[in-house]
Amino acid sequence: MLSLFSRRLYLRIWLAVVGGVAVLTLVVGWAWRVAAEQNEVQRVQAPREVVLRNSQGDVMGNGVVQRVPGEGIEFKVDLESGDALVLQVAPRERGQRGERGRRDRDTAFWTRPPFGFLWMLGLVGIAVALGVFPIIRRLLLRLEVLQRGVQRFGSGDLAARVPEQGHDEVADLSRQFNAAAARIEALVASHKSLLANASHELRSPLTRIRMGLALMDGEHPSPQFRREIERNISELDQLVEEILLASRLDAREADVGDIESVDLVGLAAEECARVGADLEASGEDIEVTGVAKLLRRALRNLLENARRYSKGEVTVILQRSNGWAQVRVCDHGPGVPEAQRERIFEPFYRLPGASERAGGVGLGLALVRSIATRHQGSVHCEDHAGGGACFVLRLPLAGSGAKIGA
């Protein structure tokens, strides 16, 4: 219960106000009682009826009793016989009188009822207002900090963040804002890097085509030259296609295809037959939920990367593991240094010494990771026991409850 109250901002504000009202009510009730007692002391008591009875309980007479200011209490009883009895009780000595009466005579008029009650009520109201203000101010001060952070972010400062203090709604909002700001900053930086690298990669084939056309000098191109032009145009087409796909994968809300149940064994068999790779499967069905064309693209990129660098056969191993489908694409190439195994998944990154003419535009492995992430999976690189590298793609099996595209 205490944790609930500490996490809810509106409850804390409500408790602060209710506490102030409760204190005000108690003090007002006490002040009202004091004022009533003071009024009772100063008010002359009205006469009350007195009945005189004998020891047998018979009525002997009736009368009244009243308080006479300065003279004490006086009883007047008229007997049945016609006589009258008067009983007087002397007032207290001055030294024995209550201190309350002397205080009433000695205090100023503005402290006496009803003025004293009004002054006390006003002072208590001011005290409550001053006491509640710093509490509410402390609670809402973080909202102003959050507001300034949002304004800075909206004005273009993508590095703007706000402090994450406490465990209430404001703290949750601050954490969500920081996460969203970090995501937007990463996307903007990724797009800037993508555009910068794409412009560089586009210049290379365009320059080769321009130089080739200049060397032709109006002559008909030779078959070798035509093949070179076609290769450069194909490289441009592949680069544009992969840039567009990378941008759509970065935009989570973009429609990249229908989500369906995909037979991973059949898909892998088709792609292995296309590039001449060996397929090893356990024989059991391996189905995942996702976009078939994206999964095909991820597996094709892994196979083309392996075929490009492998000096021997390429093997694809499919297996199930604790609710996951695991695809291992292994080659017999030079391998990937351990320090570079994360960087090779960055857009347009090539291993040191790799040539642009070796094929590829540097987006293949980056697209594989984006597709895996889109399907709540992962991909990483590890050593191959027979020499070379193994790329391991893990995807949740169908029915695991993973939310594709989240």
Side-chain angles (χ1 to χ4, degrees), residues 247-261:
S247 298
R248 295 180 67 189
L249 289 174
D250 281 340
R252 301 274 178 164
E253 67 280 359
D255 183 15
V256 291
D258 297 329
I259 298 176
E260 56 186 335
S261 180

Side-chain angles (χ1 to χ4, degrees), residues 122-180:
L123 291 175
V124 170
I126 294 174
V128 171
L130 294 177
V132 171
F133 175 79
I135 299 176
I136 298 180
R137 176 61 177 168
R138 178 181 175 85
L139 295 177
L140 301 183
L141 185 60
R142 288 178 296 157
L143 288 177
E144 297 182 5
V145 176
L146 178 60
Q147 180 185 20
R148 290 194 292 269
V150 173
Q151 290 176 346
R152 287 174 52 202
F153 187 82
S155 63
D157 184 7
L158 299 184
R161 300 293 185 270
V162 295
E164 301 176 5
Q165 300 176 350
H167 303 280
D168 53 17
E169 290 89 342
V170 177
D172 291 338
L173 183 59
S174 299
R175 283 188 285 270
Q176 293 175 14
F177 168 78
N178 288 341

